[in-house]
Amino acid sequence: MTATHGANPLRDAADRRLPRIAGPSGLVIFGVTGDLSRKKLMPAVYDLANRGLLPPGFSLVGYARREWQDEDFAQEVHDAVKAHARTPFREEVWQQLIQGMRFVPGDFDDDQAFENLKSTIEDLDKVQGTGGNFAFYLSVPPKFFPKVVKQLKKHGLADQKDGWRRAVIEKPFGHDLTSAQELNKVVHEVFPSNEVFRIDHYLGKETVQNILALRFANTLFEPVWNRSYVDHVQITMAEDIGIGGRAGYYDGIGAARDVIQNHLLQLLALTAMEEPASFDADALAAEKTKVLGAVRLPHDLGKDTVFGQYTAGWQGGEKAVGYLEEDGIDPKSNTDTYAAVKVEIDNRRWAGVPFYLRTGKRLGRRVTEIAVVFQRAPHSPFDHTATEELGHNALVIRVQPDEGVTMRFGSKVPGTAMEVRDVSMDFAYGESFTESSPEAYERLLLDVLLGDSNLFPRTEEVELSWKILDPIERHWDKRGKPAQYESGTWGPVEADEMLARHGRSWRRP
């Protein structure tokens, strides 16, 4: 019952020009009253409908502990769409979408509520023509994943006999390798592996997908994309905000588990992987798995990993409190709000090339980027005084917020003297394409409905990522106190020292 999409989106462009439209289907969102649902999922559903990518009878069911009627839920969706949708509000689209909206109140251990959910889905099959095809989106804290999945099995909601049923799981996928394996076991006892979709919203971003196009649709980059020319790679996800109201989730999880284990290791895999035989889900997963399996941790975790915690400082001209002063945070917490690690990849292409991954909150600005920094020219005929400002060539893929690609290289300064200086050549998505990029959740929700798992991490990828991170976390637990850095800066001085020991420095985005 699962759709397969083996066509190469880079080589079979003519086929890809046709819009991919979901067939008869519906979406059930558990935890529908949360921020993710309100700010991302509901608006994404509307935007897909507005673009004509959902079937006329598409159905949206909310499940939460609210004593709402269907019309209360519809109003909630309406308000979320008005506030956060990417495309303009159109009354005719809304009126069609509202016909398939239902709400089921209940707790996750409420058997009667799950029976009501089953009846609601059966009714939508008859009224809306959903064909028995439903995806269950678990927009709930990870501790509830097993309970919801077991309830779906208990009440026959995961049965595939009358149509497809799929589970959509938000990160984090466990909090270490053991918990991830336990979660995978529970989920796969209920849903086939090809019907489990693990959401990493970064993989839905256009610029992340463009890594594949940049590398494999051009002859310009691939010949130098290896240890013979690359000095090192930096992958950064920096945020300029604190934890906000997420203390209950964030404390005890930290930056490394929240970002490095999923987002940054996925970006590393896409950056370092070999060209897949095709661009279907199996081929992509095979190459990413090879890379993650070849990742080697540094011999000295004390010198080549850093975890930090922000203190009070200034952010955007305003005073910012430290992490330990945030509401709901234990004043003795050692949770990391900054993490930086050095890893290498033991294969022929990348042997000896360090990959530096860093993430943090309350940093200088919000930015996510991949910087491939090349080696210096082996010989320079220029006088050293003419090139004193010349650095390494670099190719920088900007994932957010200014999506695009920058190339840095040396160029002669106008004038009679031979003076060479670094310059940048920039490609920006917003200036080169008239089409606006869909939000990541638009792309990912549509892929779920189509059964296209290209952009979703597989079980092996998740478990390999935890195998990389777990030893680092255990080392940090033994060290105790994290390094300190002021809000508004670029992290602890220890992180700068980590690169300086190898004659390198962090980019300042």
Side-chain angles (χ1 to χ4, degrees):
M1 302 298 291
T2 302
T4 57
H5 297 269
N8 183 331
L10 304 180
R11 292 178 183 151
D12 301 324
D15 295 335
R16 303 294 288 193
R17 290 182 190 137
L18 298 174
R20 302 182 307 150
I21 301 174
S25 55
L27 177 68
V28 178
I29 302 178
F30 292 95
V32 76
T33 57
D35 274 358
L36 175 64
S37 177
R38 183 167 50 86
K39 294 180 179 179
K40 296 294 184 181
L41 303 183
M42 295 178 191
V45 167
Y46 171 81
D47 288 330
L48 288 171
N50 206 8
R51 294 164 59 202
L53 301 180
L54 297 182
F58 180 81
S59 298
L60 178 64
V61 181
Y63 187 106
R65 292 178 298 178
R66 297 285 179 92
E67 293 301 321
W68 283 351
Q69 301 299 316
D70 291 344
E71 53 268 27
D72 300 318
F73 175 56
Q75 185 62 49
E76 181 78 2
V77 179
H78 179 275
D79 294 345
V81 167
K82 282 279 193 175
H84 303 290
R86 181 179 62 88
T87 59
F89 187 84
R90 292 195 295 152
E91 187 63 30
E92 64 272 23
V93 173
W94 174 252
Q95 288 302 322
Q96 184 178 64
L97 197 56
I98 200 175
Q99 300 303 314
M101 289 187 191
R102 304 288 189 274
F103 183 78
V104 178
D107 291 316
F108 299 139
D109 55 1
D110 186 341
D111 287 333
Q112 184 56 54
F114 275 84
E115 283 298 313
N116 294 341
L117 176 61
K118 184 177 182 179
S119 298
T120 299
I121 286 176
E122 291 172 349
D123 180 64
L124 288 170
D125 283 341
K126 298 174 184 176
V127 176
Q128 293 292 105
T130 48
N133 302 319
F134 276 87
F136 300 98
Y137 200 119
L138 277 63
S139 180
V140 298
K143 64 182 179 181
F144 294 121
F145 290 171
K147 181 175 289 188
V148 174
V149 169
K150 289 177 181 178
Q151 284 282 55
L152 292 174
K153 179 181 181 179
K154 179 179 180 181
H155 296 276
L157 286 159
D159 292 345
Q160 308 283 333
K161 58 183 179 181
D162 297 323
W164 54 254
R165 299 293 167 91
R166 294 172 183 147
V168 187
I169 303 175
E170 271 283 343
K171 72 157 186 87
F173 315 116
H175 60 269
D176 58 12
L177 176 61
T178 301
S179 60
Q181 289 172 331
E182 291 172 353
L183 175 59
N184 285 330
K185 181 181 178 181
V186 169
V187 173
H188 289 152
E189 285 176 351
V190 179
F191 292 91
S193 59
N194 62 344
E195 303 289 20
V196 178
F197 292 75
R198 298 169 182 83
I199 290 276
D200 183 338
H201 71 271
Y202 260 60
L203 299 185
K205 292 180 179 290
E206 288 288 333
T207 39
V208 171
Q209 298 165 53
N210 195 43
I211 297 170
L212 301 177
L214 188 77
R215 291 189 56 194
F216 303 128
N218 300 290
T219 59
L220 179 61
F221 305 111
E222 192 62 14
V224 296
W225 209 266
N226 55 63
R227 65 185 302 274
S228 298
Y229 297 95
V230 175
D231 180 78
H232 69 282
V233 178
Q234 297 183 23
I235 303 178
T236 298
M237 178 182 165
E239 297 181 274
D240 57 2
I241 59 173
I243 61 166
R246 300 176 69 211
Y249 162 77
Y250 197 87
D251 199 38
I253 297 294
R257 287 190 176 100
D258 190 40
V259 175
I260 290 181
Q261 184 273 334
N262 39 75
H263 300 330
L264 297 196
L265 284 174
Q266 282 290 318
L267 293 181
L268 176 146
L270 292 171
T271 302
M273 64 184 266
E274 297 298 323
E275 180 178 359
S278 70
F279 278 80
D280 66 16
D282 290 339
L284 281 170
E287 296 303 333
K288 288 195 291 178
T289 299
K290 288 178 187 177
V291 170
L292 293 172
V295 168
R296 177 170 58 81
L297 295 177
H299 296 298
D300 190 337
L301 293 176
K303 290 183 178 180
D304 288 325
T305 70
V306 174
F307 72 123
Q309 196 178 82
Y310 64 80
T311 60
W314 291 91
Q315 193 93 47
E318 297 183 1
K319 188 69 173 176
V321 301
Y323 179 74
L324 299 181
E325 288 79 53
E326 297 275 14
D327 291 340
I329 297 299
D330 182 346
K332 296 181 180 179
S333 173
N334 290 330
T335 296
D336 52 297
T337 63
Y338 178 96
V341 303
K342 171 195 170 189
V343 299
E344 294 188 7
I345 299 172
D346 279 343
N347 62 21
R348 185 179 293 271
R349 181 186 288 264
W350 296 111
V353 176
F355 283 68
Y356 297 101
L357 315 181
R358 65 169 168 170
T359 183
K361 292 187 175 294
R362 290 284 183 207
L363 297 181
R365 62 183 290 253
R366 173 177 173 263
V367 62
T368 300
E369 67 173 34
I370 302 163
V372 180
V373 182
F374 293 92
Q375 300 171 15
R376 293 185 186 274
H379 170 72
S380 175
F382 305 107
D383 185 273
H384 73 278
T385 59
T387 60
E388 61 181 351
E389 295 184 19
L390 199 61
H392 291 260
N393 296 156
L395 177 72
V396 182
I397 301 169
R398 302 190 308 275
V399 177
Q400 66 177 16
D402 304 314
E403 294 89 347
V405 180
T406 296
M407 292 182 63
R408 187 180 69 190
F409 54 92
S411 179
K412 181 185 178 298
V413 177
T416 56
M418 175 54 77
E419 182 183 356
V420 182
R421 187 178 301 165
D422 278 340
V423 297
S424 294
M425 184 166 63
D426 190 68
F427 152 69
Y429 264 90
E431 296 176 3
S432 299
F433 297 104
T434 56
E435 301 94 339
S436 62
S437 296
E439 287 290 328
Y441 279 96
E442 284 179 60
R443 170 67 190 269
L444 295 174
L445 282 179
L446 181 60
D447 282 354
V448 168
L449 299 176
L450 291 168
D452 187 343
S453 57
N454 284 15
L455 300 178
F456 299 84
R458 297 285 184 89
T459 301
E460 296 82 4
E461 296 171 57
V462 172
E463 294 184 359
L464 283 169
S465 296
W466 281 120
K467 287 181 181 179
I468 294 167
L469 187 61
D470 277 359
I472 298 172
E473 290 284 358
R474 287 195 294 267
H475 173 77
W476 290 348
D477 286 343
K478 292 177 183 177
R479 294 189 64 175
K481 289 293 183 182
Q484 305 292 297
Y485 65 98
E486 285 188 20
S487 295
T489 66
W490 280 98
V493 65
E494 290 86 346
D496 294 326
E497 293 170 350
M498 184 176 89
L499 269 68
R501 277 191 290 270
H502 305 285
R504 301 184 178 102
S505 61
W506 292 108
R507 274 178 45 81
R508 287 292 183 262

